[in-house]
């Protein structure tokens, strides 16, 4: 298990971002989807929890085979997706990712939003007070993003909002900008397979960090599109966009129903209160299992001929090189 805490500041208030995060997630999912690849929305409905109160539950399938590194594509099915389940009790959310093909894999994200510049060091005391973790600050203005995702119109150093007057952020903006808020994200990645655990968990955290950086940059860069929206308007945008996204990737489900009226009482359903444990199945996929002893073939020779000791032979074995570099943002 690898646990990290990410802190992402934005020139917004927590109240403003309640609309912004819904708008950003829907639009980002639509942009990143294509035929056979992307985010399919399976369920999106009101949800009530006895502890957190009223919220929204969503279930999605993230198809991402072409986005996997070559070493991962070699061992997963051609049609491969990760299941995302999210409970949104803004300003607190829970998101978890699992994959039936990899029963020992899971990602658990708890998010809290506060109006400060990432200075609350005890925000997750109830969830992970005694757990060792690295704290990673992500700067939406100055941290580098993968070149293929860069757009000048979404660069906070260049973008300036017409409706709010905010933007064109410079290095050190978090120290003096008002308003300012922070997304605190406690991310737990598990891949409990001997020999691959470190490599996979570090890779997943790198992907998570890139997604958080890109998503929060877009949320601010699109502020003029969502700033005047009401909750009803952003829910309608969410519904229409999700249906369009499902069609875009080739899925044609019944119309998605999104409303703000709770459908089920808390006694019927409840969200997870902590990180999910490894799924019930403890057997590793066949490609990760230790090969079983096989009976000797009948065609095998009864005697063994030893090589000539005077002749030299070399044997080249492929090696796996892994890197455990910490997740630290790069600055320009």
């Amino acid at each position: 298990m690898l646990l990290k805490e990410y802190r992402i500041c934005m020139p917004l208030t927590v109240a403003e971002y309640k609309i912004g995060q819904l708008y950003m997630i829907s639009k980002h999912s639509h942009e990143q989807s294509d035929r056979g690849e992307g985010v399919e929305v399976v369920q999106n409905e009101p949800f009530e929890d006895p502890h957190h109160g009223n919220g929204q539950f969503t279930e999605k399938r993230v198809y991402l085979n072409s986005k996997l590194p070559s070493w991962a594509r070699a061992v997963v099915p051609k049609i491969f997706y990760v299941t995302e389940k999210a409970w949104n009790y803004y300003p607190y959310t829970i998101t978890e990712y699992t994959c039936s093909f990899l029963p020992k894999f899971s990602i658990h994200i708890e998010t809290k939003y506060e109006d400060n510049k990432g200075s609350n060091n005890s925000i997750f005391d109830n969830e992970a007070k005694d757990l060792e973790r690295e704290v990673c600050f992500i700067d939406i203005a100055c941290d580098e993003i993968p070149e293929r995702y860069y757009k000048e119109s979404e660069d906070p150093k260049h973008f300036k909002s017409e409706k709010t007057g905010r933007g064109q952020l410079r290095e050190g903006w978090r120290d003096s900008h008002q308003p300012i808020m922070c997304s605190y994200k406690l991310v737990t990645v598990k891949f409990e397979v001997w020999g691959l655990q470190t490599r996979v968990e570090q890779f997943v955290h790198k992907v998570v960090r890139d997604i958080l950086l890109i998503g929060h940059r877009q949320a601010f860069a699109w502020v003029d599109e969502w700033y005047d929206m009401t909750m009803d308007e952003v829910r309608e945008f969410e519904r229409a966009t999700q249906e369009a996204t499902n069609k875009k990737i080739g899925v044609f489900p019944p119309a998605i129903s999104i409303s703000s009226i709770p459908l089920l009482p808390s006694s019927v359903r409840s969200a997870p209160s902590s990180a999910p444990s490894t799924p019930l199945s403890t057997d590793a996929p066949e490609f990760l299992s230790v090969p079983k002893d096989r009976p000797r073939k009948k065609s095998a020779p009864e005697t063994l001929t030893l090589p000539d000791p005077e002749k030299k032979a070399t044997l080249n074995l492929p090696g796996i090189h892994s890197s455990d570099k910490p997740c630290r943002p790069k600055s320009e």
Side-chain angles (χ1 to χ4, degrees):
M1 180 183 82
L2 184 57
L3 177 66
K4 295 189 179 185
E5 180 184 328
Y6 297 91
R7 301 181 186 180
I8 314 102
C9 292
M10 288 189 294
L12 302 168
T13 67
V14 172
E16 291 169 343
Y17 193 55
K18 184 174 185 179
I19 299 291
Q21 53 111 13
L22 295 175
Y23 183 93
M24 177 271 292
I25 291 171
S26 293
K27 183 175 178 178
H28 176 86
S29 297
H30 185 73
E31 287 192 348
Q32 295 300 313
S33 299
D34 202 350
R35 190 73 181 178
E37 292 274 332
V39 182
E40 172 197 355
V41 181
V42 178
Q43 191 175 355
N44 189 340
E45 64 181 32
F47 187 89
E48 185 178 340
D49 180 83
H51 179 66
H52 302 295
N54 294 334
Q56 196 82 5
F57 170 75
T58 59
E59 180 177 347
K60 303 175 184 178
R61 292 176 180 174
V62 185
Y63 297 86
L64 40 60
N65 189 282
S66 67
K67 296 179 174 61
L68 296 174
S70 57
W71 57 266
R73 288 199 302 270
V75 295
V76 301
K78 185 175 182 180
I79 300 177
F80 173 76
Y81 66 85
V82 172
T83 299
E84 174 194 296
K85 293 183 179 181
W87 294 262
N88 189 339
Y89 308 104
Y90 195 89
Y92 172 68
T93 67
I94 304 169
T95 309
E96 59 183 40
Y97 298 87
T98 56
C99 177
S100 59
F101 178 70
L102 299 171
K104 294 180 180 291
F105 169 78
S106 67
I107 305 173
H108 183 84
I109 304 175
E110 293 188 56
T111 305
K112 295 183 179 182
Y113 303 99
E114 287 190 348
D115 286 314
N116 57 51
K117 57 182 180 181
S119 54
N120 189 347
N121 294 322
S122 59
I123 191 167
F124 289 115
D125 273 2
N126 291 335
E127 294 80 10
K129 183 177 182 179
D130 299 322
L131 296 179
E132 182 179 350
R133 62 185 181 275
E134 178 185 357
V135 175
C136 299
F137 284 85
I138 297 178
D139 189 332
I140 65 170
C142 299
D143 285 358
E144 295 179 358
I145 67 170
E147 185 177 354
R148 65 184 181 279
Y149 295 119
Y150 178 81
K151 295 181 181 179
E152 185 174 347
S153 62
E154 296 175 359
D155 189 337
K157 294 193 298 295
H158 302 293
F159 168 77
K160 185 170 184 178
S161 167
E162 294 181 0
K163 292 184 178 180
T164 67
R166 306 168 201 167
Q168 295 181 333
L169 305 178
R170 295 293 179 258
E171 187 172 355
W173 69 272
R174 292 176 296 179
D175 297 329
S176 58
H177 195 284
Q178 289 296 328
I180 190 168
M181 62 160 287
C182 184
S183 299
Y184 294 83
K185 292 183 177 287
L186 188 66
V187 182
T188 305
V189 177
K190 290 183 181 179
F191 189 67
E192 298 170 342
V193 176
W194 186 85
L196 292 175
Q197 182 171 3
T198 299
R199 181 180 187 180
V200 171
E201 290 178 351
Q202 289 284 6
F203 169 76
V204 171
H205 266 289
K206 180 182 181 302
V207 172
V208 167
R209 184 190 177 280
D210 287 345
I211 291 174
L212 293 178
L213 175 57
I214 294 167
H216 285 76
R217 284 166 63 103
Q218 291 177 331
F220 174 58
W222 296 338
V223 63
D224 288 345
E225 300 175 27
W226 57 259
Y227 190 74
D228 294 327
M229 280 186 169
T230 64
M231 181 57 70
D232 288 340
E233 288 172 340
V234 78
R235 286 298 185 192
E236 174 57 26
F237 172 82
E238 186 180 39
R239 182 199 63 78
T241 305
Q242 288 174 356
E243 288 186 1
T245 302
N246 284 0
K247 291 180 181 179
K248 190 176 181 182
I249 65 174
V251 180
F252 301 90
I256 300 170
S257 175
I258 302 176
S259 67
S260 58
I261 303 174
L263 299 179
L264 294 176
S266 59
S267 59
V268 178
R269 310 175 70 180
S270 62
S273 58
S274 61
S277 59
T278 302
L280 294 178
S281 173
T282 57
D283 296 329
E286 184 177 351
F287 74 90
L288 294 177
S289 302
V290 178
K292 298 179 180 179
D293 293 335
R294 296 180 180 177
R296 186 176 181 179
K297 294 182 179 180
K298 293 183 179 180
S299 59
E302 296 298 328
T303 60
L304 179 64
T305 302
L306 297 176
D308 188 341
E310 296 182 358
K311 294 182 179 180
K312 295 183 179 180
T314 60
L315 180 61
N316 295 321
L317 296 177
I320 298 177
H321 302 280
S322 60
S323 175
D324 292 332
K325 295 181 180 179
C327 175
R328 294 180 180 173
K330 299 178 181 178
S331 300
E332 293 184 344

